[in-house]
Amino acid sequence: MPLVPKNTKYSFTCLWTLATFSGFLLSLLLIEIGEQPDIGVLEAAIGGFAIALAQGCLFKEPILCIRWILSSLLGWSLITAIGIGGLGWFVFSTQFLPLRILYGAIYGGLGGLGIGLTQWLAISQPASVAWRWILVSSASWAIAIPFGSAAGIVLRRFTHLFLGEVIGLAITWLLVGILTGINAHKLRS
């Protein structure tokens, strides 16, 4: 029995967003938020597993769930190993807002491209749907990281607590969930 009701794409988008955000919250129990060089491949893989597991439960086919988890693990490990980092679990060390926005767009776009490419391996859909997922992933991260990073630095300056940065990362994951969820319903069939 599938975990997802047969409703509209909007209900699936809400479930996808909830799963993505819940996976992020679970990952906070397993890994520590830090600055970019602090997050290693193992931490990114653990965090990626938490997110992919939550998202994978929404797919109708168990094999797609397994492929989704494995391809996501590969993506998070690769982008961290090549130096982009564990997006969504680190904050930029610069306190200059325009640089954070610029770095967020660049790193987010590249990281989302890497994650989207590896998740593409799990998608057994026509090429147009699969290629769209790569673009959606890249664009979602390129938009979400600057917003979350800007919110994080503003909250940190206002409260003088690192918790502001963690809230900024939560905003990032919420945006990624929404933006990717709009297209993710097409992956279910």
Side-chain angles (χ1 to χ4, degrees):
M1 182 168 127
L3 296 174
V4 180
K6 294 180 181 178
N7 289 337
T8 66
K9 69 178 183 178
Y10 302 109
S11 63
F12 185 80
T13 299
C14 291
L15 287 172
W16 182 267
T17 303
L18 180 63
T20 302
F21 192 72
S22 298
F24 168 69
L25 293 178
L26 174 64
S27 75
L28 291 180
L29 299 173
L30 305 171
I31 60 175
E32 183 178 344
I33 301 293
E35 290 187 349
Q36 187 173 7
D38 297 340
I39 304 299
V41 174
L42 180 61
E43 291 89 355
I46 290 169
F49 176 77
I51 307 270
L53 181 63
Q55 291 172 338
C57 289
L58 298 178
F59 295 124
K60 291 178 184 176
E61 303 170 17
I63 191 71
L64 178 57
C65 175
I66 293 167
R67 287 193 328 238
W68 185 261
I69 292 169
L70 293 175
S71 66
S72 296
L73 279 171
L74 175 65
W76 285 107
S77 299
L78 283 176
I79 68 166
T80 304
I82 64 172
I84 293 173
L87 297 174
W89 293 285
F90 76 80
V91 297
F92 294 107
S93 56
T94 182
Q95 298 299 311
F96 186 55
L97 183 60
L99 271 181
R100 273 198 175 205
I101 292 171
L102 178 64
Y103 290 161
I106 293 169
Y107 279 80
L110 291 173
L113 179 68
I115 294 164
L117 279 169
T118 59
Q119 289 172 339
W120 173 65
L121 298 171
I123 301 171
S124 58
Q125 296 284 332
S128 63
V129 174
W131 281 106
R132 190 174 335 159
W133 181 256
I134 296 169
L135 296 175
V136 165
S137 177
S138 184
S140 297
W141 282 100
I143 292 167
I145 293 279
F147 271 100
S149 188
I153 196 171
V154 168
L155 289 170
R156 185 175 187 178
R157 286 180 183 166
F158 181 71
T159 63
H160 301 289
L161 297 172
F162 189 75
L163 181 61
E165 297 281 12
V166 177
I167 293 170
L169 290 173
I171 291 169
T172 297
W173 279 104
L174 192 59
L175 284 172
V176 166
I178 292 168
L179 294 171
T180 58
I182 292 169
N183 199 56
H185 73 92
K186 295 176 183 149
L187 304 176
R188 287 181 41 202
S189 53

